[in-house]
Amino acid sequence: MGKTIIVTGASRGIGREIAKRLAADGFSIVVNFAGNAAKAAEVVTEIESAGGTALALKADVANEKEVEQLFEQTAAQFGSDTLHAVVHSAGIMTLSKIVDGNVAEFDKIIATNLRGAFLVLGQAARHVAEGGRILALSTSVIGVALPGYGPYIASKAGVEGLVRVLANELRGRNVCVNAVAPGPIATELFLNGKTSEQIGHLAKMAPLERLGKPVDIAGVVAFLIGPDGGWINGQVVRANGGFV
Ligand code: NDP
């Protein structure tokens, strides 16, 4: 039986491109999503049309039971010892200044991004096979600490911490655990709520003077998942055109 990869948040944006790339690389893909079943079905159709194998599974990454079921359903469908990797891309971003004290926004971002990572990485640690990979998406904005990004940066700094600790906890299992930290990427998460001036300014911050595309990140992930990525462990790999 072939090797399977769970990609969380694979219905849209970066996760969607990662799912398609890893399917093209020969892996069976679990396309996780939160609510957008139609978009997830589109990804499955695209993968299958290209000759690959994929299955859409709904699970809110912040929900302990649903994350557990995501891994159980994956094992039921593809076999209990085929899980090669988990790529945790599901995430949300809203901006609010610390001075404004928007606790509801803070709690929501921490629940989805940090609690979600804790739950997904925990299940990944239990289920990924010997020689496998665990990846979580962080963000390069941690390095520039832009105003308004407090709750989001707090959540992703936590993700980077979890990744480093998990790499140590999996000593002896031959499993690599890393984070990929993109700079600004043209997806709904980045574009929503910003003026064209703000987008233009952020696009020009990197010396390569453009926004990243999901495919830029999918290539980095494919390298880390593949055989050439096997000596990278416990790292945060920034992929951002020189943004920071
Ligand atoms: P998008 O908003 O384009 O896509 C988000 C994806 O995550 C969707 O598939 C969505 O599913 C899923 N999702 C959201 N909440 C949950 C949840 N609670 N449970 C399960 N799935 C969920 O975001 P991006 O692709 O841009 O972002 C992907 C990752 O990359 C995030 O972790 C983000 O923080 C990180 N990142 C993004 C950057 C950017 O500039 N875009 C820069 C740096 C990091 P559904 O369709 O069902 O809603």
Side-chain angles (χ1 to χ4, degrees), residues 9-15 32-36 59-61 89-92 112 137-139 152 156 182-185 187-190:
S11 46
R12 292 185 286 118
I14 298 170
N32 161 254
F33 65 102
N36 216 324
D60 173 359
V61 295
S89 187
I92 57 169
T112 303
L137 271 284
S138 180
T139 173
Y152 181 66
K156 294 294 189 177
I185 306 288
T187 68
E188 288 171 44
L189 176 142
F190 170 76

Side-chain angles (χ1 to χ4, degrees), residues 7-18 31-40 57-63 66-67 70 88-93 108 111-113 116 120 136-141 149 152 155-156 159 180-192 194 211-212 214 217 239:
V7 183
T8 67
S11 46
R12 292 185 286 118
I14 298 170
R16 181 183 182 114
E17 207 58 44
I18 291 170
V31 175
N32 161 254
F33 65 102
N36 216 324
K39 291 277 179 197
L57 288 178
K58 178 173 157 64
D60 173 359
V61 295
N63 182 308
E66 291 184 24
V67 173
L70 171 66
H88 178 48
S89 187
I92 57 169
M93 182 182 79
K108 189 164 187 325
T112 303
N113 292 359
V120 171
L137 271 284
S138 180
T139 173
S140 285
V141 82
Y149 283 77
Y152 181 66
S155 72
K156 294 294 189 177
V159 171
V180 174
I185 306 288
T187 68
E188 288 171 44
L189 176 142
F190 170 76
L191 298 168
N192 281 354
K194 293 193 177 74
L211 291 179
I217 303 307

Side-chain angles (χ1 to χ4, degrees), residues 22-244:
L22 295 176
D25 288 352
F27 297 99
S28 299
I29 305 297
V30 172
V31 175
N32 161 254
F33 65 102
N36 216 324
K39 291 277 179 197
E42 257 174 45
V43 181
V44 170
T45 303
E46 282 183 44
I47 289 174
E48 288 177 345
S49 308
T53 304
L55 171 72
L57 288 178
K58 178 173 157 64
D60 173 359
V61 295
N63 182 308
E64 186 180 4
K65 194 75 210 154
E66 291 184 24
V67 173
E68 201 180 318
Q69 284 166 354
L70 171 66
F71 282 78
E72 282 168 6
Q73 288 165 355
T74 300
Q77 180 72 24
F78 294 108
S80 57
D81 53 357
T82 71
L83 189 63
H84 174 65
V86 174
V87 182
H88 178 48
S89 187
I92 57 169
M93 182 182 79
T94 48
L95 303 182
S96 62
K97 289 201 171 147
I98 296 165
V99 68
D100 293 334
N102 192 336
V103 182
E105 280 301 317
F106 180 82
D107 286 348
K108 189 164 187 325
I109 290 181
I110 293 294
T112 303
N113 292 359
L114 184 52
R115 177 184 161 89
F118 179 73
L119 294 174
V120 171
L121 294 184
Q123 285 292 331
R126 267 164 249 165
H127 291 278
V128 162
E130 165 104 22
R133 309 273 199 272
I134 300 172
L135 288 184
L137 271 284
S138 180
T139 173
S140 285
V141 82
I142 288 179
V144 288
L146 295 176
Y149 283 77
Y152 181 66
I153 284 178
S155 72
K156 294 294 189 177
V159 171
E160 293 188 4
L162 291 174
V163 159
R164 291 202 187 88
V165 171
L166 187 58
N168 286 328
E169 289 181 355
L170 295 187
R171 175 180 291 274
R173 291 255 313 266
N174 191 25
V175 171
C176 296
V177 188
N178 293 293
V180 174
I185 306 288
T187 68
E188 288 171 44
L189 176 142
F190 170 76
L191 298 168
N192 281 354
K194 293 193 177 74
T195 63
S196 51
E197 287 75 33
Q198 287 169 323
I199 292 167
H201 171 72
L202 285 157
K204 292 277 182 208
M205 276 179 76
L208 296 187
E209 293 194 311
R210 67 166 174 88
L211 291 179
K213 296 181 233 144
V215 72
D216 295 320
I217 303 307
V220 176
V221 168
F223 162 70
L224 291 170
I225 295 286
D228 290 342
W231 193 233
I232 298 175
N233 189 26
Q235 304 301 311
V236 176
V237 179
R238 284 181 172 169
N240 58 32
F243 177 76
V244 61

